[in-house]
């Protein structure tokens, strides 16, 4: 039986700070990510919206997406 080995996660705020970018960019880059990519939603007792969080694998995925973002700037429509 496979067990989940995740024992900590990082908030968008922490990931943005550690990577030196804005929280909005991290939010935008993570829109298409799924739990298999290392993102989860954390809910508190009085928090219906939840907080996006990343496992170590999720941070690696965000770094990859950030590299792609910087390599190919978004088009200006």
């Amino acid at each position: 039986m496979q067990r989940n080995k995740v024992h900590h996660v990082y908030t968008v705020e922490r990931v943005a700070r550690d990577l030196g970018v804005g929280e909005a960019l991290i939010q935008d880059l993570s829109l298409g990510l799924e739990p298999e990519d290392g993102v989860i939603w954390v809910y508190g007792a009085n928090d219906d919206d939840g907080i996006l969080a990343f496992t170590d694998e999720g941070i690696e995925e965000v770094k990859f997406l950030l590299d792609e973002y910087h390599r190919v700037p978004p088009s200006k429509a």
Side-chain angles (χ1 to χ4, degrees):
M1 171 189 280
Q2 180 179 356
R3 295 189 186 264
N4 189 341
K5 304 290 185 195
V6 174
H7 55 84
H8 62 269
V9 294
Y10 300 91
T11 63
V12 170
E13 180 181 22
R14 171 73 181 263
V15 173
R17 186 198 72 189
D18 290 352
L19 297 178
V21 298
E23 291 179 46
L25 179 56
I26 299 297
Q27 291 275 4
D28 289 346
L29 292 175
S30 64
L31 285 176
L33 298 180
E34 300 290 336
E36 302 84 43
D37 300 316
V39 298
I40 63 170
W41 286 92
V42 179
Y43 297 93
N46 297 314
D47 185 8
D48 291 335
D49 295 331
I51 297 170
L52 182 62
F54 299 90
T55 65
D56 291 333
E57 290 81 13
I59 293 172
E60 291 304 313
E61 187 68 27
V62 168
K63 287 179 183 177
F64 172 77
L65 294 172
L66 192 57
D67 287 344
E68 288 295 307
Y69 174 82
H70 285 123
R71 190 173 63 78
V72 182
S75 64
K76 303 206 186 237

